[in-house]
Amino acid sequence: MDTKRFEITRRAALMTSAAIAANVINPMRAFAQETPRKGGVFFVHYGAEQRQLNPSLQASTGVYIIGGKIQENLVDLDANGQSVGVLAESWEASPDGKTITFKLRKGVTWHDGKPFTSADVQFTAMNMWKKILNYGTTLQLFLTAVDTPDPLTAVFRYERPMPLNLLLRALPDLGYVSAKHLYENGDIRQNPHNLAPVGTGPFKFVQYERGQYIIAERNPNYWRPNAPYLDRIVWRVITDRSAAAAQMEAGQLHYSPFSGLTISDMARLAKDKRFIVSTKGNEGNARTNTIEFNFRRKEISDIRVRRAIAHAINVPFFIENFLGDFAKIGTGPIPSTSTDFYPGPDTPQYPYDKALATKLLDEAGFKKGADGTRFSLRLLPAPWGEDVSLWATFVQQALGEVGIKVDIVRNDGGGFLRQVYNDWNFDLATGWHQYRSDPAVSTTVWYRSGQPKGAPWTNQWGWQDPAVDKVIDDAATELDPVKRKALYAEFVKRVNTELPLWMPIEQIFVTVISAKARNHSNTPRWGSSSWHDLWLAE
Amino acid sequence: MRILSLAGRRLAASIPTLILILIGVFLLLQFAPGDTVDAMMAQMGGGDAATARQLRQFYGLDLSVPAQLGNYLWRLVRFDLGFSSIYGKPVATVIAERLPPTILLMTASLSFAFFFGLVFGVIAARGVNKWPDTIISTLGLIFYATPSFWFGLMAIVVFSVYLQWLPPGGFEDIGLVQTGIWRTLDIAQHLILPTLTLGLIFLAIYLRIMRASMLEVLNLDFVRTARAKGLDETRVIVRHVLRNALLPMVTLIGLQAGTMLGGSVVVESVFSLPGLGRLAYESVVQRDLNTLLGIIFVSALVVIAVNFVVDILYARLDPRISTEA
């Protein structure tokens, strides 16, 4: 690899990463003793408007960042990543794992004054989570009924055993409750409350001006005592990342969530005392960068070629020079932030080894032609994130070195999903795999065979392995947490050996927030959480 | 009455063009991979095949392409622009909400570019090849060659971040609830930077055209006559030269009204203005066909209207061109 051309970037990255590290180590300067201040307006950067704001209907950070303050989930995660009750106070599973009972919180009311009861949970689970919510439909596939013996008890009945820890890890994202009395009549998808949400949360929806802003104000009847602190939250719609950085500096924004600014702006603001730039509070939103292989290409269906491709790419070099402290080397589909399931780095890995890559390609019988090229591949990068675009170019150059010519084909979001997951019109694809607390939520679908054609972010590679399918199915219904972890370790070992897709980089979203904010980034999914304890210092 | 019938004829003549454009865009978008449900999946971060099938039905995407096109045109005949899939509202409502900022921005920047282009063009032409001309022409070239997003960002950095004189973006102040004159002033303040950014590029063009056209008219016989009969220089310039030199400028307004609607995409994104340009961009990315076609329809109407006004202005400026012709 020609290192000269990266010289400047590397130096810049090293300098800025030192600055970021300084901030990460000391994000909460000594303000433990301060008394929380009531009042203030918190301004949030909102980069991509969604079609609706109800988190019971759409699981994505773009919805949680707003809907998650207005509506609440049954359970959330506490500072240590453990399950903590929100609308549910306690839970219990039957020994056969087919019945899970939630005791609900007493005295909670919707923003319109009606009481919150188990009927709301029943309605939401059966009509939204099971039928409409993305990933919820898969999670609740075997949910047969929710019984409501009294207004504060909801009993979930499953056809097959549902591991309690899987449900509890999934519910922070996939467990937001909507009001039955507002949704029971008419088409749920077209309900006007989808754009003017009504919930039980610390903030009440006020106004949504499309393309401009969304406003929510303090809920005076919130069930947590003395919460929330803020008077209002205002989300400003700013699509241009550089403009958002300028607005942060001009004091028009307090918070830009989920890596909403450019890498260079984040590095620059990290040196500014007015801001904190950190990955803290986003541990629950880990993602990995992928290389997805299309087995319909005969060259790629040869495992030596897939391994050669992995060996040919210098991942540490890429991370050091382009992503700095915002990323680390990935070891497989389960990221190291997932302490309950991470099997350790002791699974088959593919360190950078150009000689080995060349040898594998030669062995596979793909000799270099007169022009030094063995064969050529079309690489489709996903359009989200600067890192994917940089990574695609890096892969192109690295593979060129071992005689594989790569043509990069760029698409927008809809085009990328259609070409890769529906039309299979790719040789290599690269994007993000989002890990959602438990491998059964959105990770194993990348490997399990039998995925319907066109389902995005699933196994559309033309690859299947009965052993992997079996381990995935067993783990999804295994009730013993220790055995489940062992099954997923087996799964990672197996897919890292076969390499139907490769996940060599692990990333966590970066938060840029005003140094005046207090009690921020204090849970693993803080950007999505309710912000009932967030306050602004003078 | 004469003007009305002219307007009617103009509109009738542009209907075939309009329909061709709409059909063309409709078919072009069919070639783009992915539909609005794919775009929605991309935004949601995943979903299963059954959901996708339901959504396709919901948005009417399960019909064949000719059937969809037929439906669209039939609705258009009844002045129904359809339903926007990203906004969940009728397209006409969505566009009506987004039109005012764009029209405001367009009018402001066109007026700015026209007025200063005229003034600087005249100054440059009067001092041709002397220092005012050199300075004005060089500045014009710089403005013309600089990309507008860069201009916009630099304007924000200088005037909002460092000097803190003007707001860095948005259409109005959200923190305060304002009414009447204060709200107008607030919006005006928010529009200063976007107007300058969009206007500077066009200013360069107007300036060059005005300068060239002034120089041409200054050499014509009637100017020599005017001078010969003893008129002072200002009178010669204003009464005789300017009026004739203005014609190409007016033509340019008509031509550029369309360009400006397009150019505003960048400026609206940088300054977070809720305008038509950003809406168009979003509709392409989200494959929201109805909204996009609606925007094209409305933009075409705006361009036709502007050109109609330009034609009338021609007649006022130069009596030899009559509206009858």
Side-chain angles (χ1 to χ4, degrees):
Chain A
M1 171 70 52
D2 175 10
T3 51
K4 250 195 186 137
R5 75 185 81 152
F6 294 116
E7 216 64 307
I8 297 169
T9 4
R10 171 194 284 168
R11 203 172 301 132
L14 283 179
M15 279 158 65
T16 51
S17 62
I20 292 158
N23 253 327
V24 174
I25 294 163
N26 185 17
M28 305 274 170
R29 292 158 197 148
F31 38 66
Q33 308 88 341
E34 285 178 279
T35 352
R37 181 178 78 98
K38 274 232 175 200
V41 182
F42 193 63
F43 288 94
V44 183
H45 172 204
Y46 192 40
E49 281 179 283
Q50 311 285 312
R51 296 185 194 187
Q52 52 98 2
L53 300 174
N54 183 344
S56 317
L57 297 174
Q58 181 177 330
S60 63
T61 48
V63 170
Y64 301 141
I65 191 71
I66 295 160
K69 327 296 169 239
I70 297 162
Q71 287 178 248
E72 288 181 303
N73 39 15
L74 286 180
V75 290
D76 210 327
L77 300 174
D78 69 6
N80 303 315
Q82 298 307 308
S83 301
V84 57
V86 181
L87 289 179
E89 275 185 324
S90 64
W91 41 85
E92 192 181 20
S94 66
D96 66 355
K98 290 186 177 173
T99 307
I100 294 174
T101 307
F102 287 95
K103 286 277 175 205
L104 305 179
R105 193 168 298 280
K106 214 178 145 182
V108 176
T109 54
W110 296 98
H111 293 156
D112 62 5
K114 298 252 170 36
F116 158 76
T117 69
S118 54
D120 296 313
V121 176
Q122 179 195 47
F123 180 83
T124 309
M126 296 308 289
N127 298 292
M128 297 181 171
W129 302 348
K130 190 176 162 65
K131 288 191 183 149
I132 299 177
L133 179 65
N134 50 324
Y135 295 110
T137 50
T138 321
L139 181 77
Q140 308 291 4
L141 189 64
F142 298 107
L143 176 70
T144 51
V146 177
D147 297 344
T148 51
D150 65 68
L152 294 178
T153 310
V155 184
F156 285 62
R157 299 202 180 278
Y158 289 91
E159 201 180 313
R160 297 189 189 177
M162 164 62 84
L164 181 62
N165 76 342
L166 163 57
L167 190 64
L168 289 178
R169 301 219 146 262
L171 282 184
D173 275 356
L174 306 178
Y176 281 89
V177 184
S178 290
K180 181 184 178 186
H181 64 275
L182 299 175
Y183 277 92
E184 58 191 340
N185 298 317
D187 185 348
I188 290 176
R189 283 185 209 281
Q190 295 199 67
N191 194 302
H193 294 289
N194 293 344
L195 281 165
V198 172
T200 56
F203 296 94
K204 291 204 304 195
F205 172 84
V206 176
Q207 193 187 0
Y208 186 179
E209 281 295 324
R210 289 302 282 246
Q212 294 192 69
Y213 55 84
I214 299 159
I215 300 175
E217 64 181 11
R218 177 209 309 274
N219 171 11
N221 303 317
Y222 188 51
W223 56 269
R224 284 183 218 256
N226 296 322
Y229 295 111
L230 299 169
D231 283 341
R232 282 182 158 213
I233 303 174
V234 175
W235 293 264
R236 289 183 195 271
V237 179
I238 304 162
T239 47
D240 187 278
R241 288 164 177 250
S242 306
Q247 295 221 17
M248 293 256 358
E249 287 186 278
Q252 300 276 309
L253 288 175
H254 290 112
Y255 172 49
S256 177
F258 308 129
S259 304
L261 308 180
T262 62
I263 295 177
S264 56
D265 275 331
M266 291 191 291
R268 190 167 56 83
L269 293 183
K271 288 182 272 187
D272 190 325
K273 279 206 173 59
R274 293 175 296 162
F275 305 104
I276 290 165
V277 178
S278 157
T279 55
K280 197 171 177 303
N282 292 322
E283 297 83 354
N285 292 102
R287 62 181 198 264
T288 57
N289 288 67
T290 62
I291 289 195
E292 297 152 39
F293 296 109
N294 190 347
F295 282 66
R296 296 161 194 94
R297 272 293 295 255
K298 75 171 191 322
E299 292 92 341
I300 289 176
S301 67
D302 188 321
I303 188 157
R304 286 168 295 192
V305 172
R306 298 198 298 278
R307 287 178 179 162
I309 288 175
H311 279 304
I313 300 167
N314 191 346
V315 180
F317 181 89
F318 176 75
I319 293 177
E320 186 193 332
N321 289 287
F322 293 99
L323 305 178
D325 279 1
F326 299 135
K328 62 186 204 174
I329 295 171
T331 54
I334 300 180
S336 59
T337 46
S338 174
T339 42
D340 284 7
F341 298 104
Y342 181 57
D346 222 13
T347 51
Q349 299 297 326
Y350 301 90
Y352 176 57
D353 188 340
K354 206 170 124 188
L356 180 57
T358 314
K359 191 167 149 264
L360 283 167
L361 287 169
D362 285 340
E363 274 175 23
F366 300 107
K367 301 276 186 250
K368 277 193 184 176
D371 58 347
T373 306
R374 297 171 199 269
F375 52 87
S376 52
L377 296 174
R378 292 167 73 246
L379 167 63
L380 274 69
W384 25 90
E386 283 173 277
D387 56 321
V388 178
S389 173
L390 292 168
W391 172 242
T393 312
F394 188 77
V395 167
Q396 181 186 41
Q397 293 185 3
L399 295 187
E401 302 263 318
V402 294
I404 302 174
K405 186 173 172 292
V406 173
D407 299 308
I408 296 181
V409 185
R410 294 185 194 278
N411 280 289
D412 60 8
F416 172 78
L417 293 189
R418 175 62 68 101
Q419 299 255 306
V420 175
Y421 302 100
N422 192 73
D423 299 346
W424 301 333
N425 187 12
F426 70 106
D427 298 325
L428 301 174
T430 179
W432 293 338
H433 149 247
Q434 303 266 2
Y435 183 80
R436 297 170 196 246
S437 302
D438 189 295
V441 179
S442 61
T443 300
T444 52
V445 287
W446 288 76
Y447 298 91
R448 177 72 171 87
S449 69
Q451 303 293 337
K453 191 178 183 215
W457 296 291
T458 63
N459 178 354
Q460 302 288 342
W461 332 124
W463 169 85
Q464 64 172 320
D465 181 345
V468 168
D469 287 354
K470 184 169 184 316
V471 93
I472 288 173
D473 294 347
D474 288 350
T477 50
E478 175 57 61
L479 297 178
D480 180 355
V482 179
K483 283 192 195 149
R484 259 193 105 210
K485 182 172 181 177
L487 283 170
Y488 282 123
E490 171 66 26
F491 157 76
V492 173
K493 207 175 121 197
R494 185 91 200 156
V495 300
N496 276 8
T497 312
E498 291 296 317
L499 218 61
L501 70 152
W502 187 40
M503 301 196 181
I505 303 172
E506 215 177 285
Q507 294 196 69
I508 299 179
F509 284 118
V510 182
T511 292
V512 181
I513 193 163
S514 161
K516 283 184 187 161
R518 301 290 186 266
N519 282 344
H520 68 84
S521 312
N522 51 9
T523 65
R525 57 187 294 280
W526 184 78
S528 303
S529 73
S530 73
W531 297 353
H532 61 89
D533 58 345
L534 172 68
W535 60 280
L536 274 173
E538 289 286 356
Chain B
M1 215 42 230
R2 215 178 58 191
I3 284 184
L4 273 184
S5 82
L6 182 73
R9 261 187 287 144
R10 268 304 165 83
L11 203 63
S14 45
I15 284 176
T17 326
L18 203 56
I19 290 178
L20 273 180
I21 292 174
L22 288 176
I23 295 179
V25 172
F26 186 92
L27 293 177
L28 259 180
L29 266 180
Q30 299 300 324
F31 286 118
D35 56 25
T36 190
V37 175
D38 288 310
M40 195 175 166
M41 290 285 179
Q43 207 184 39
M44 297 198 310
D48 57 59
T51 316
R53 210 169 34 246
Q54 277 176 27
L55 282 168
R56 291 219 159 82
Q57 239 165 22
F58 178 74
Y59 290 128
L61 294 168
D62 47 347
L63 300 174
S64 68
V65 172
Q68 286 182 44
L69 180 60
N71 277 351
Y72 185 78
L73 290 177
W74 174 233
R75 279 203 312 266
L76 202 62
V77 171
R78 291 172 293 161
F79 294 102
D80 175 6
L81 290 176
F83 207 72
S84 156
S85 45
I86 31 177
Y87 288 91
K89 287 195 262 197
V91 169
T93 318
V94 175
I95 292 179
E97 282 170 9
R98 295 296 191 98
L99 203 55
T102 299
I103 296 283
L104 214 58
L105 181 63
M106 201 176 90
T107 320
S109 352
L110 264 181
S111 321
F112 165 80
F114 186 86
F115 178 75
F116 284 96
L118 191 149
V119 171
F120 287 131
V122 170
I123 296 174
R126 290 200 65 183
V128 67
N129 292 335
K130 293 194 201 106
W131 65 266
D133 180 33
T134 317
I135 292 179
I136 289 174
S137 298
T138 314
L139 275 180
L141 209 61
I142 292 175
F143 292 150
Y144 188 61
T146 318
S148 55
F149 74 90
W150 189 84
F151 245 138
L153 284 173
M154 286 308 117
I156 294 178
V157 168
V158 174
F159 293 104
S160 307
V161 177
Y162 286 109
L163 298 174
Q164 307 211 337
W165 288 350
L166 292 166
F171 187 58
E172 56 190 312
D173 201 327
I174 315 164
L176 314 160
V177 182
Q178 291 164 317
T179 45
I181 182 77
W182 296 111
R183 179 157 183 253
T184 312
L185 283 176
D186 181 46
I187 292 177
Q189 203 189 12
H190 278 83
L191 280 180
I192 292 177
L193 288 183
T195 302
L196 289 183
T197 308
L198 190 58
L200 277 179
I201 290 173
F202 292 96
L203 168 71
I205 302 173
Y206 283 111
L207 185 160
R208 302 291 301 179
I209 297 283
M210 192 63 204
R211 178 177 172 273
S213 136
M214 282 288 289
L215 288 177
E216 200 188 310
V217 179
L218 273 171
N219 286 331
L220 292 181
D221 289 342
F222 74 89
V223 178
R224 197 176 307 134
T225 315
R227 283 189 181 132
K229 72 181 181 189
L231 292 180
D232 64 84
E233 192 63 13
T234 316
R235 214 174 151 75
V236 171
I237 296 283
V238 175
R239 294 279 310 216
H240 296 263
V241 184
L242 195 62
R243 246 183 113 151
N244 285 287
L246 267 180
L247 278 179
M249 295 277 279
V250 175
T251 314
L252 212 58
I253 290 193
L255 288 175
Q256 282 187 335
T259 323
M260 226 168 219
L261 278 175
S264 61
V265 177
V266 173
V267 173
E268 282 170 13
S269 299
V270 169
F271 290 99
S272 331
L273 290 172
L276 218 51
R278 231 174 85 199
L279 185 69
Y281 175 77
E282 232 168 278
S283 331
V284 174
V285 172
Q286 298 271 329
R287 303 281 192 280
D288 186 349
L289 206 60
N290 282 348
T291 309
L292 188 65
L293 292 174
I295 293 169
I296 290 168
F297 185 72
V298 170
S299 308
L301 288 183
V302 170
V303 172
I304 291 170
V306 170
N307 278 292
F308 177 69
V309 173
V310 165
D311 277 352
I312 292 172
L313 273 180
Y314 269 159
R316 296 282 303 173
L317 282 171
D318 187 345
R320 284 170 301 177
I321 309 171
S322 96
T323 42
E324 296 286 354

